[in-house]
Amino acid sequence: MQSFSNRLIALRKERGLTQAELAKATHLQRSTLSGYETEGKEPTFETLCALAAYFNVTTDYLLGISSARTHNDAVFSAYTPEMRA
């Protein structure tokens, strides 16, 4: 399982962003972002959600809990009214 810091670094690099560019785009201080990437700091819930939204991934993916980047809508489309019983 990848850690939050590793996922954050990978996502930032996939977009070709520097720490300063990502910090500006997400309204964070570069030093705060650097702390997240070196595993010295943990984001608040609000910051975690903002980062997940920015990268269009789930918070579980960003935290390293899941390998799925997004929710699979197919899970919800399989629901039928008969399943209510």
Side-chain angles (χ1 to χ4, degrees):
M1 177 170 35
Q2 285 189 319
S3 68
F4 166 73
S5 61
N6 291 337
R7 289 275 168 95
L8 183 59
I9 292 166
L11 289 166
R12 178 177 61 76
K13 288 183 177 184
E14 280 179 18
R15 293 252 178 123
L17 299 170
T18 65
Q19 284 183 345
E21 291 168 333
L22 178 57
K24 183 176 180 180
T26 56
H27 308 288
L28 296 170
Q29 296 293 318
R30 194 210 55 78
S31 60
T32 300
L33 188 60
S34 176
Y36 296 156
E37 290 190 1
T38 59
E39 301 185 48
K41 292 185 179 182
E42 293 182 0
T44 63
F45 176 74
E46 291 80 12
T47 300
L48 178 66
C49 291
L51 288 167
Y54 179 81
F55 288 113
N56 195 32
V57 297
T58 66
T59 53
D60 281 356
Y61 178 80
L62 193 52
L63 291 170
I65 295 170
S66 171
S67 60
R69 288 184 176 222
T70 60
H71 294 291
N72 186 349
D73 290 340
V75 171
F76 301 108
S77 67
Y79 178 80
T80 63
E82 295 80 30
M83 297 174 89
R84 289 186 203 160

